[in-house]
Amino acid sequence: MADMYNNRPVNDEVNGGLAGLDEAKKDLEMWKIKAEKADDVKSRLIVEKLEEDEAKEKAKQEMLALVEKNNEYQKDFAQSLSSVQDEIGKLAKRKQDLLDKLMRCQAELEAKRAESTKLKQKFKIYALIPDTEMRFTTQDTEETDDNSQPIRGVFTISQRSTVFLQGGQALITFEEEKVASQILKIAKCAVSCDNKSLDVKPKRISMDPVVKFEVHIDVSRKEIKVSNVPPSMPEERVRDRLEMSFSRPSRGGGEVEGVEYDANTGTGHVTFLHPGVAESLALRGRHHVDLDSDVNVQVGPIYKYKLRKFQTFCGFPKRTILLDDIGDTSDEEDLQDHLEIHFQKPSNCGGEIESIKYLSGGKAALAFFCEEERDE
């Protein structure tokens, strides 16, 4: 009994120890599994860390490359900006130079226009041509039956050279050119006048340019110009009425070849088949035309003109000189006589005088020069 009671606790302890050992084994297995899982997690985390480090290093390298590229772009941009600014500066300077040149050209153009206007005014001829008897001459040619040729006329217009003579001045024309040349070499000439001496200054005459040209005029023998035709009806009807009115022999007309009419200007052209009718109608100046009412229209010749052989001449007279700064000390005629006597003397470098004209103070005149005829 005693042994049985003593063995029972020992077995219990052994059984309890075995149970604890099993539990410990289980725990050990569990912790081994956990340790393995932890090692796997650790390995995975290490791998991920290495991958992240590689990605970080790669990102860092890419960032550095981008920073370097950005710096290059900024440098290129700065250079391009500087180049563009320089180009803009050059273009602005070029623009300003062109504007300055444009202003200079405009100023030169205005000056040229002013000079052109001045020359146009200088070469314009304003003169009242008096009624003059004219003699028309023709060349001896073989007669022909063709009278349809226009009437041709040639007129030569020649402008005479002029000099404006003021008071206290005189013009002297010598017979020889060398005398005038000798006088012009003298700065002052002392002229004796009533026990006094007058200092006069010989000067060369400067004259404005003059022109000479021909006007060739052709007057039609078969055409006339009609004007002051009122637009009282359509153009076609007005044209028909004109043809009818100008074809009546009772009114001085003749057979009409064609009619032109412009309602905007109220003018027209009438062409006759035979010459002679247009001449007689043009001489009348008026003609009755049957429109809505009897209208008295104006009739005139049709002519064409051309300007030919236009020539300009400029220079100075070789035998005429101007005497300036002449004081009024005596009568105008007496002083002119003293001047003529002085400049006729060879001892005063003078010679034979063809003409002389002196004006006293307060007077003015326009002297005309005639073209010298040259001996052939």
Side-chain angles (χ1 to χ4, degrees), residues 96-110:
Q96 188 62 39
D97 293 341
L98 291 175
L99 289 175
D100 295 340
K101 185 177 180 180
L102 177 62
M103 293 180 65
R104 290 195 302 271
C105 291
Q106 288 177 344
E108 292 178 0
L109 178 61
E110 291 299 326

Side-chain angles (χ1 to χ4, degrees), residues 111-122:
K112 293 293 185 182
R113 284 177 177 173
E115 183 180 0
S116 176
T117 302
K118 184 178 179 181
L119 290 176
K120 286 180 180 179
Q121 294 296 328
K122 181 181 292 187

Side-chain angles (χ1 to χ4, degrees), residues 257-275:
E257 183 178 349
V259 177
E260 297 179 6
Y261 171 69
D262 186 358
N264 296 324
T265 60
T267 60
H269 287 179
V270 179
T271 304
F272 295 95
L273 187 62
H274 302 290

Side-chain angles (χ1 to χ4, degrees), residues 349-364:
C349 298
E352 292 297 325
I353 294 176
E354 183 177 301
S355 64
I356 181 171
K357 181 60 181 176
Y358 163 72
L359 288 182
S360 58
K363 295 183 179 181

Side-chain angles (χ1 to χ4, degrees), residues 173-177 319 351-354:
T173 301
F174 296 96
E175 292 184 357
E176 298 181 358
E177 295 179 6
R319 298 189 297 116
E352 292 297 325
I353 294 176
E354 183 177 301

Side-chain angles (χ1 to χ4, degrees), residues 21-244:
L21 183 59
D22 292 335
E23 290 293 332
K25 286 181 178 180
K26 290 180 180 180
D27 291 338
L28 180 60
E29 290 296 331
M30 182 184 66
W31 286 111
K32 283 182 177 180
I33 293 171
K34 288 183 177 181
E36 290 176 358
K37 290 182 178 180
D39 290 337
D40 292 339
V41 171
K42 180 180 178 182
S43 299
R44 182 169 56 81
L45 291 175
I46 290 172
V47 172
E48 290 179 354
K49 182 177 181 298
L50 291 174
E51 291 177 352
E52 292 295 333
D53 289 340
E54 290 179 359
K56 181 179 178 182
E57 184 66 23
K58 185 178 179 181
K60 183 178 179 181
Q61 295 297 329
E62 291 178 355
M63 185 184 69
L64 292 176
L66 291 174
V67 169
E68 184 178 358
K69 188 175 291 187
N70 184 43
N71 292 333
E72 292 178 357
Y73 286 158
Q74 287 183 348
K75 184 177 179 181
D76 293 340
F77 175 76
Q79 292 178 353
S80 300
L81 180 62
S82 178
S83 176
V84 170
Q85 288 177 346
D86 293 341
E87 189 68 22
I88 291 175
K90 292 179 181 179
L91 291 176
K93 187 176 182 302
R94 171 84 173 160
K95 178 183 177 182
Q96 188 62 39
D97 293 341
L98 291 175
L99 289 175
D100 295 340
K101 185 177 180 180
L102 177 62
M103 293 180 65
R104 290 195 302 271
C105 291
Q106 288 177 344
E108 292 178 0
L109 178 61
E110 291 299 326
K112 293 293 185 182
R113 284 177 177 173
E115 183 180 0
S116 176
T117 302
K118 184 178 179 181
L119 290 176
K120 286 180 180 179
Q121 294 296 328
K122 181 181 292 187
F123 287 118
K124 279 184 178 179
I125 301 174
Y126 299 96
L128 294 175
I129 301 177
D131 294 336
T132 306
E133 294 185 0
M134 303 182 68
R135 182 169 59 90
F136 294 92
T137 60
T138 58
Q139 296 181 354
D140 294 333
T141 57
E142 296 182 358
E143 294 184 359
T144 60
D145 294 334
D146 187 8
N147 293 326
S148 62
Q149 294 297 323
I151 302 172
R152 289 187 170 88
V154 179
F155 300 88
T156 301
I157 310 298
S158 180
Q159 183 184 8
R160 296 173 63 181
S161 302
T162 59
V163 172
F164 186 69
L165 190 63
Q166 299 179 350
Q169 293 180 338
L171 287 176
I172 299 181
T173 301
F174 296 96
E175 292 184 357
E176 298 181 358
E177 295 179 6
K178 64 178 182 178
V179 178
S181 301
Q182 293 173 359
I183 299 297
L184 288 173
K185 295 178 181 179
I186 304 173
K188 287 184 180 181
C189 297
V191 179
S192 300
C193 180
D194 296 335
N195 299 324
K196 295 181 181 179
S197 180
L198 297 178
D199 290 334
V200 298
K201 296 179 180 179
K203 293 183 178 179
R204 188 181 299 277
I205 298 174
S206 59
M207 296 185 296
D208 293 333
V210 295
V211 297
K212 183 178 181 180
F213 56 90
E214 291 182 357
V215 180
H216 293 238
I217 298 179
D218 290 348
V219 183
S220 176
R221 294 177 182 265
K222 298 173 62 177
E223 294 178 295
I224 58 172
K225 180 179 180 181
V226 184
S227 56
N228 297 334
V229 181
S232 56
M233 55 182 63
E235 285 190 20
E236 189 65 30
R237 292 187 60 191
V238 173
R239 195 177 294 111
D240 292 340
R241 293 295 181 89
L242 288 174
E243 183 176 355
M244 292 173 57

Side-chain angles (χ1 to χ4, degrees), residues 224-229 241-254 256 270 272 277 280-291 293-300:
I224 58 172
K225 180 179 180 181
V226 184
S227 56
N228 297 334
V229 181
R241 293 295 181 89
L242 288 174
E243 183 176 355
M244 292 173 57
S245 298
F246 282 101
S247 61
R248 292 183 178 179
S250 60
R251 295 186 178 181
V256 175
V270 179
F272 295 95
V277 180
S280 60
L281 289 175
L283 290 174
R284 293 181 183 180
R286 293 284 179 178
H287 189 76
H288 292 281
V289 178
D290 297 327
L291 297 177
S293 60
D294 190 11
V295 179
N296 193 14
V297 298
Q298 187 174 355
V299 179

